[in-house]
């Protein structure tokens, strides 16, 4: 097995470790054992991930001394619902899980979010472990303790802050992940570079071939770095009172882009376009050098992420979509804008015309 990296997430009594390493899923018993030995586990997975990895992880849980039961739900955001959470809890009751039992999430962000939410509410809260299998889940959703589900009225409208006890990350799972999902995760990786890590950004620029060829050793490095960065932000601001908001860079624009595209654009694609819009706004406001905005755009283009809206998109509609986004403060849009690579600022008070103009500049 390759190098194992341990990244501590410092949250006082809710602290936990992220353990990352190529091949770790085949050798996970020693890491799982302190948490699961002598306890029952519900191994939650989805209909795509389960057939590939559930047996292996089930064996690890058994080797670690747990009695584990697999629950699989149909893959897809449309199943990130209270109904699925209810089914998970009923299944847990049926198999005798009690307050000492755990839920183990094996899957992407959808699986992690509902597993964490079910763990937060089952018997008023039980422990859970994250085993992310998408790049997005590895670098973003599995770290930080945000859990939840969607309502028919909108995404992520219910949820809880509930930290895992352990996150286990094996980059080898990326070998079966469709490339489109990898690209979407890469949008979040680029985001970390722009908001807080210029060397990471430069490393991405210098390794386009490895990114596009999904070189696992390289991905192991960047996943570990992104986790460190997210852990740092979350440790400083667990409940998004301030600093954590920088993780939303590109997201207020991006969510509106996703919405207006009727979700034909994926989240990562929306975020890529959204980061370009935020950079354009910063350039027009005199906060950012044009050359830096171009640098960001070039990197995104090289990893085959879209930077502009498809023809026919209406900037005013996107602006209206942004106003509906949750991250508004006192009726004012709170936007994250880059000042240079590695540094962003949370700013409100932009004129609607300026925002709409920035959107228009990112239309084809
Ligand atoms: N909690 C947070 O902080 C946070 C942060 C960002 C996003 N999210 C949430 O994450 C979700 C998106 O996560 P996602 O992009 O991982 O989506 P996802 O969980 O739907 O996974 C994407 C697709 O890939 C499949 N898949 C997963 N791993 C695979 C593998 N290794 N091999 C083959 N197929 C695989 C899944 O079955 C699914 O079809 C959204 O619901 C979003 O709201 C949460
Ligand atoms: Zn995102």
């Amino acid at each position: 097995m390759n190098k194992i990296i341990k990244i501590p997430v410092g949250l006082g009594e809710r602290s936990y470790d992220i353990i990352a390493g190529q091949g770790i899923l085949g050798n996970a018993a020693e890491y799982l054992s302190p948490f699961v030995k002598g306890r029952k586990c519900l191994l939650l997975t989805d209909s795509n991930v389960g057939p590939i990895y559930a047996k292996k992880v089930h064996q690890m849980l058994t080797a670690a001394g747990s009695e584990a039961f697999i629950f699989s739900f149909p893959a897809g955001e449309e199943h990130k619902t209270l109904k699925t959470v209810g089914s998970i809890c009923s299944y847990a009751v049926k198999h005798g899980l009690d307050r000492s039992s755990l839920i183990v999430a094996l899957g992407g962000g959808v699986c992690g979010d509902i597993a964490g939410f079910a763990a937060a509410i089952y018997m008023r809260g039980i422990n859970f472990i994250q085993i992310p299998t998408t790049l997005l889940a590895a670098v973003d959703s599995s770290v930080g303790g945000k859990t939840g589900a969607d309502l028919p009225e909108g995404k992520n409208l219910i949820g809880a802050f509930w930290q895992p006890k352990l996150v286990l990350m094996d980059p080898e799972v990326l070998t079966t992940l469709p490339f489109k999902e990898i690209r979407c995760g890469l949008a979040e990786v680029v985001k970390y570079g722009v908001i807080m890590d210029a060397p990471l950004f430069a490393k991405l620029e210098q390794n386009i071939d490895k990114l596009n060829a999904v070189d696992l050793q390289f991905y192991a490095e960047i996943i570990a770095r992104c986790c460190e960065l997210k852990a740092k932000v979350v440790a400083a601001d667990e409940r998004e009172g301030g600093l954590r908001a920088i993780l939303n860079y590109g997201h207020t624009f991006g969510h509106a882009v996703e919405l207006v595209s009727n979700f034909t654009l994926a989240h990562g694609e929306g975020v890529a376009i959204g980061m370009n819009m935020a950079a354009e706004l910063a350039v027009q406001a005199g906060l950012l050098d044009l050359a830096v905005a171009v640098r960001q755009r070039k990197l995104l283009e090289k990893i085959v992420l879209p930077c502009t809206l498809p023809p026919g998109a209406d900037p005013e509609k996107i602006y209206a979509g942004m106003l509906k986004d949750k991250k508004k403060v006192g009726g004012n849009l709170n936007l994250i804008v880059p000042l240079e690579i590695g540094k962003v600022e949370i700013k409100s008070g932009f004129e609607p015309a300026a925002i709409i103009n920035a959107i228009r500049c990112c239309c084809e």
Side-chain angles (χ1 to χ4, degrees):
M1 195 171 26
N2 290 296
K3 200 169 93 185
I4 300 291
I5 305 170
K6 194 191 259 193
I7 302 151
V9 185
L11 290 167
E13 59 185 19
R14 291 184 305 288
S15 296
Y16 57 95
D17 286 332
I18 303 165
I19 298 179
Q22 221 178 309
I24 204 168
L25 277 196
N27 292 279
E30 69 171 285
Y31 303 106
L32 289 166
S33 178
F35 302 98
V36 307
K37 193 171 179 189
R39 298 165 192 261
K40 288 188 177 181
C41 285
L42 188 155
L43 175 57
L44 182 70
T45 189
D46 76 21
S47 53
N48 292 331
V49 178
I52 319 176
Y53 300 109
K55 198 173 156 201
K56 191 173 188 178
V57 174
H58 187 270
Q59 277 168 357
M60 286 301 133
L61 287 166
T62 308
S66 163
E67 186 186 0
F69 307 92
I70 299 173
F71 183 94
S72 175
F73 66 95
E77 181 78 30
E78 63 275 26
H79 296 286
K80 194 175 133 180
T81 59
L82 267 180
K83 191 169 167 234
T84 308
V85 174
S87 310
I88 296 165
C89 293
S90 295
Y91 186 85
V93 175
K94 194 171 143 201
H95 287 85
L97 272 80
D98 60 21
R99 297 207 60 192
S100 72
S101 308
L102 289 95
I103 296 183
V104 178
L106 173 68
V110 167
C111 178
D113 278 13
I114 53 172
F117 188 39
I121 59 174
Y122 184 70
M123 298 196 172
R124 300 198 175 81
I126 62 170
N127 288 341
F128 93 112
I129 289 174
Q130 290 264 24
I131 305 181
T133 63
T134 62
L135 181 59
L136 179 128
V139 299
D140 192 356
S141 63
S142 67
V143 183
K146 278 192 187 176
T147 74
D150 303 334
L151 290 180
E153 289 78 8
K155 280 182 68 171
N156 295 324
L157 288 178
I158 44 172
F161 282 98
W162 196 248
Q163 299 293 346
K165 287 288 162 199
L166 173 73
V167 182
L168 278 184
M169 231 167 245
D170 187 344
E172 264 171 32
V173 296
L174 301 181
T175 53
T176 55
L177 188 67
F179 190 60
K180 181 173 176 180
E181 299 293 342
I182 299 222
R183 287 196 295 109
C184 285
L186 283 177
E188 307 285 352
V189 174
V190 171
K191 177 190 81 177
Y192 285 111
V194 179
I195 63 174
M196 60 194 299
D197 191 347
L200 171 67
F201 190 94
K203 192 169 177 171
L204 298 173
E205 288 179 313
Q206 288 150 17
N207 289 280
I208 300 292
D209 292 351
K210 288 185 181 167
L211 287 173
N212 287 331
V214 195
D215 177 309
L216 292 184
Q217 192 51 52
F218 186 66
Y219 273 76
E221 282 172 41
I222 59 169
I223 289 171
R225 182 62 188 147
C226 291
C227 288
E228 262 170 23
L229 295 168
K230 183 151 184 189
K232 202 162 129 186
V233 172
V234 171
D237 176 22
E238 188 179 3
R239 293 193 167 227
E240 201 165 319
L243 182 69
R244 191 165 177 167
I246 67 171
L247 299 171
N248 295 323
Y249 174 54
H251 279 61
T252 305
F253 285 104
H255 286 150
V257 166
E258 273 182 87
L259 185 75
V260 169
S261 81
N262 273 326
F263 296 95
T264 53
L265 285 170
H267 176 71
E269 294 172 326
V271 169
I273 296 171
M275 290 192 289
N276 275 295
M277 290 173 172
E280 183 63 42
L281 182 64
V283 170
Q284 290 182 11
L287 299 166
L288 179 73
D289 274 354
L290 175 63
V292 179
V294 171
R295 205 176 144 197
Q296 174 186 267
R297 184 181 171 136
K298 282 198 169 145
L299 174 58
L300 291 166
E301 281 172 352
K302 283 183 185 155
I303 49 179
V304 210
L305 279 161
C307 293
T308 50
L309 288 163
D314 180 352
E316 309 257 352
K317 254 196 190 163
I318 292 179
Y319 178 66
M322 290 170 74
L323 294 178
K324 284 194 210 145
D325 198 80
K326 284 181 293 189
K327 285 126 199 156
K328 263 194 302 178
V329 173
N332 220 330
L333 266 182
N334 214 15
L335 293 171
I336 320 297
V337 284
L339 304 179
E340 58 190 80
I341 296 296
K343 192 169 175 202
V344 286
E345 194 174 83
I346 306 170
K347 257 185 116 57
S348 58
F350 286 105
E351 289 295 328
I355 298 173
I356 293 167
N357 193 36
I359 299 170
R360 189 167 290 117
C361 288
C362 296
C363 289
E364 265 175 22

